[in-house]
Amino acid sequence: MSRPSSAGPSANKPCGKQQQQQHHTPSPAAAPAANPTAAAATISAAGAGSSAVPAAAAVISSPGAGESSGGPVSPQHHELTSLFECPVCFDYVLPPILQCQAGHLVCNQCRQKLSCCPTCRGSLTPSIRNLAMEKVASAVLFPCKYATTGCSLTLHHTEKPDHEDICEYRPYSCPCPGASCKWQGSLEAVMSHLMHAHKSITTLQGEDIVFLATDINLPGAVDWVMMQSCFGHHFMLVLEKQEKYEGHQQFFAIVLLIGTRKQAENFAYRLELNGNRRRLTWEATPRSIHDGVAAAIMNSDCLVFDTAIAHLFADNGNLGINVTISTCCP
């Protein structure tokens, strides 16, 4: 199979199938973030304000605690859940539920930032536990906070925070390493954002390419990034150098899919260092950009090698990584 790649200055345009290598200018290192995925490695060498409970029994017809539903929500159910809306952030007040002395509710996150009740301006201390509303909350399924962007799930309050952390309808953050870009948007807008705001990232076409990271001997934390386009999807290749342990610099290489976790399960990638009669290979499922690279690096769930190994494969301070994307059989 031919290896598409490119030469010359970084630019955000596709490269021809017959070009050979892509050079990358390092940029400041990434900040950690995200969740692990499985991989296999082969290495050779109240209406705020009332403590009274409305006629809840008449309107609660939901699965038991621990279950979730994607069905339509009745007007009565919506009316009931609206009693739990925080008057500050409009999210839901979930157990443990505290009220001011007049009976008004505010969620725990907002309560920590307030000096008085946002409804009556009365004192928030001493805290009064509203056990009646907690019992109602335990019998109600709450909509996901990303319902407005498409999530149809309703969940028990104990499941809601964990689900929202991984909800596919949660806005995507910019996947570029580094903490400077605060962009968030839909999955469909990610590539457009990268093309306009991160023009130094080059995209190569083809499932088998060479990613050439230049100047790997630069001191401190550094990262190299490029895009690979194949099978109708875009993949982000990231190589980071950081001091994970004091005085011990390591390189971490990983592939992310510009797509959902479910889409990522349809692909596999292989990273290979090859030269001087040595070979180092890592094979895994790409991570979704929804998860990022931080958890993978923290758990060493990626291609990991130290500076000594990097020098075994490098040529004049430049390190070539063979990257192959393949589809998985259903």
Side-chain angles (χ1 to χ4, degrees), residues 234-311:
H234 299 284
F235 299 83
M236 175 172 279
L237 318 179
V238 178
L239 174 66
E240 286 196 18
K241 182 175 73 167
Q242 60 176 255
E243 193 172 286
K244 190 175 181 182
Y245 305 108
E246 186 175 355
H248 182 59
Q249 285 194 321
Q250 290 181 298
F251 290 85
F252 304 87
I254 192 169
V255 173
L256 306 173
L257 172 70
I258 310 294
T260 66
R261 295 181 183 90
K262 189 171 183 179
Q263 289 173 327
E265 293 173 358
N266 297 322
F267 299 97
Y269 73 91
R270 184 176 73 246
L271 303 177
E272 184 176 281
L273 300 177
N274 196 349
N276 300 320
R277 296 186 179 182
R278 298 176 178 88
R279 179 176 297 174
L280 180 63
T281 303
W282 168 265
E283 296 180 354
T285 300
R287 285 174 174 260
S288 165
I289 57 168
H290 215 280
D291 300 321
V293 300
I297 290 177
M298 183 181 301
N299 299 319
S300 296
D301 187 16
C302 53
L303 177 60
V304 184
F305 51 96
D306 59 21
T307 53
I309 292 178
H311 290 149

Side-chain angles (χ1 to χ4, degrees), residues 205-226:
Q205 302 285 344
E207 63 269 22
D208 189 13
I209 67 166
V210 175
F211 176 22
L212 187 64
T214 62
D215 300 325
I216 64 169
N217 296 322
L218 285 174
V222 188
D223 67 69
W224 297 260
V225 183
M226 67 166 288

Side-chain angles (χ1 to χ4, degrees), residues 17 34 51 56 121 127 141 149 188 209 211 221 227 236 245 313 315 322 328-329:
K17 291 282 274 185
S51 58
R121 302 301 173 185
S127 294
L141 293 182
T149 54
E188 293 73 21
I209 67 166
F211 176 22
M227 300 295 298
M236 175 172 279
Y245 305 108
F313 294 99
D315 182 15
N322 300 317
C328 298
C329 296

Side-chain angles (χ1 to χ4, degrees), residues 3-11 13-16 18-24 202-204 210 212 214 226:
R3 293 184 181 279
S5 52
S6 72
S10 295
K13 25 184 179 179
C15 300
Q18 302 303 318
Q19 296 174 310
Q20 271 312 303
Q21 291 183 336
Q22 176 61 46
H23 296 261
H24 298 278
T202 303
T203 301
L204 300 187
V210 175
L212 187 64
T214 62
M226 67 166 288

Side-chain angles (χ1 to χ4, degrees), residues 58-61 71-83 85:
V59 294
I60 299 175
S61 56
V73 177
S74 68
Q76 293 90 345
H77 186 271
H78 177 75
E79 182 180 350
L80 180 60
T81 57
S82 69
L83 297 177
E85 287 181 2

